[in-house]
Amino acid sequence: PRAAMPFLGQDWRSPGQNWVKTADGWTRFLEERHSSYVSDINSYCKKEDYNKENLFNSMNYDVAAKKRKKDLLNNKTKIQYFHQEKWIYVHKGSTKERHGYCTLGEAFNRLDFSNAILDSRRFNYVVRLLELIAKSQLTSLSGIAQKNFMNILEKVVQKVLEDQQNIRLIRELLQTLYTSLCTLVQRVGKSVLVGNINMWVHRMETILHWQQQLNSIQITRPAFKGMTFTDLPLCLQLNIMQRLTDGRDLVSLGQVAPDLQVLSEDRLLWKKLCQYHFTDRQIRKRIILSEKGLLDWKKMYFKLIRCYPRKEQYGDTLQLCRHCHILSWKGTDHPCTANNPESCSTSLSPQDFINLFRF
């Protein structure tokens, strides 16, 4: 055994010492040999391939390399954390132990919500999902996912400021987020938010600034001199108004012109709106009669929305494949072994998406 010790000592590398792979093999790095060490590095790395990342890898400085990547990512706060694949596998019957990387934050990073807000069919879906996350799921996101959340929210606000559409929808989203952050920031020291508390206070100030910008929007009448909505026959105006799914939009439309005010009070219009969102049983529990003894459908609608959730309908939603349990946007290719993948897809509401990652 003693004779074998010198032989073993030739290949053995002591922990705590730095070793560098060179053309002649592994060389121990010492402080007093810094100049020769630099020359060894230059001989190991080709000039055309040399960069800081290769330097970290060649030195075997794993910790330093990871820190550099983290710092680089932190400096690019306006860039979303993208992945090549735009889908994610969701474990069937997940538990806390089986979830692995399949978390709400990971799904939020992988499913390209940043580009989804540019699609008018997906915009309301993403906004509703952001609202649900802001209300109760913000602390379940990773640091990168929280950063993506704020970046996507900023893009949403900028889009609304430019096209002046969905203003009320984004106001409600910002108010929900601000209220949640007020509660979470007060719990400082309990690790409910990732990052420095001052960073979140700054984000709250940004949210207040966005709210001021939305409140200061002045919608100007377009210079178009052709046919307008009020020029249409009354039956067509009423037919278009029946396609509005939010009673507040009807009230706002009635404030535009006296003729529209009369149409917006149509009893049949509010009756269909109530029947669209709520069941007969729910309606029977909230019956309100007018002074003439008739059902006041308008008052019933606003009373019902305070008691029951409204029906949600979106142009495009996230899809879950029942065969391979892959979550993706509709039309996104994913590795499915089913003969007819489209028949296996199930549409998910924003709340269904949140529920997938509860265990």
Side-chain angles (χ1 to χ4, degrees), residues 269-285:
L269 192 66
W270 289 98
K271 178 181 179 180
K272 290 185 176 180
L273 194 60
C274 289
Q275 292 175 339
Y276 173 77
H277 286 288
F278 310 106
T279 64
D280 292 339
R281 182 179 180 183
Q282 292 172 337
I283 293 174
R284 287 195 300 268
K285 289 184 177 181

Side-chain angles (χ1 to χ4, degrees), residues 80 104-111 113 130 133 145 148-149 152:
Q80 187 186 1
L104 176 62
E106 185 67 17
F108 191 78
N109 292 336
R110 294 277 291 272
L111 295 176
F113 289 100
L130 293 176
I133 292 176
N148 285 345
F149 179 92
I152 294 172

Side-chain angles (χ1 to χ4, degrees), residues 96-108:
K96 187 174 182 180
E97 291 74 19
R98 291 184 57 191
H99 248 65
Y101 76 93
C102 182
T103 62
L104 176 62
E106 185 67 17
F108 191 78

Side-chain angles (χ1 to χ4, degrees), residues 93-292:
S94 289
T95 62
K96 187 174 182 180
E97 291 74 19
R98 291 184 57 191
H99 248 65
Y101 76 93
C102 182
T103 62
L104 176 62
E106 185 67 17
F108 191 78
N109 292 336
R110 294 277 291 272
L111 295 176
D112 198 12
F113 289 100
S114 183
N115 287 324
I117 61 175
L118 304 178
D119 190 333
S120 58
R121 299 169 302 172
R122 301 175 179 177
F123 181 83
N124 287 3
Y125 185 95
V126 176
V127 170
R128 176 58 178 164
L129 182 58
L130 293 176
E131 184 179 7
L132 291 175
I133 292 176
K135 186 177 297 183
S136 60
Q137 301 296 320
L138 192 61
T139 56
S140 66
L141 301 182
S142 64
I144 291 179
Q146 289 180 1
K147 185 184 300 182
N148 285 345
F149 179 92
M150 296 302 301
N151 291 342
I152 294 172
L153 180 60
E154 181 178 2
K155 292 183 179 181
V156 168
V157 174
Q158 295 302 323
K159 182 178 183 300
V160 173
L161 291 174
E162 293 174 3
D163 58 27
Q164 298 185 345
Q165 298 180 13
N166 301 297
I167 298 176
R168 184 180 64 244
L169 192 67
I170 307 307
R171 282 176 180 169
E172 294 174 353
L173 168 60
L174 293 179
Q175 185 58 42
T176 300
L177 177 60
Y178 187 82
T179 303
S180 297
L181 289 179
C182 286
T183 303
L184 295 174
V185 167
Q186 293 174 0
R187 299 167 60 187
V188 60
K190 297 183 180 180
S191 301
V192 294
L193 289 172
V194 179
N196 189 283
I197 191 66
N198 295 326
M199 176 185 67
W200 285 101
V201 172
H202 174 71
R203 288 174 175 174
M204 293 174 66
E205 294 174 350
T206 303
I207 293 172
L208 291 177
H209 177 66
W210 289 340
Q211 289 177 323
Q212 293 175 355
Q213 288 181 304
L214 292 175
N215 292 333
S216 62
I217 289 180
Q218 298 291 333
I219 300 179
T220 57
R221 187 181 181 88
F224 179 71
K225 298 182 179 180
M227 180 178 290
T228 63
F229 180 75
T230 54
D231 295 329
L232 297 173
L234 293 180
C235 60
L236 289 181
Q237 294 182 33
L238 190 60
N239 188 277
I240 293 174
M241 295 173 71
Q242 288 177 353
R243 283 162 171 74
L244 298 176
T245 59
D246 194 328
R248 293 171 297 179
D249 292 334
L250 285 177
V251 174
S252 299
L253 185 59
Q255 297 172 351
V256 174
D259 293 340
L260 294 177
Q261 171 66 28
V262 176
L263 284 180
S264 66
E265 297 293 334
D266 184 79
R267 292 183 64 252
L268 182 61
L269 192 66
W270 289 98
K271 178 181 179 180
K272 290 185 176 180
L273 194 60
C274 289
Q275 292 175 339
Y276 173 77
H277 286 288
F278 310 106
T279 64
D280 292 339
R281 182 179 180 183
Q282 292 172 337
I283 293 174
R284 287 195 300 268
K285 289 184 177 181
R286 309 295 173 183
I287 289 179
I288 299 177
L289 298 178
S290 64
E291 295 178 356
K292 297 180 181 180

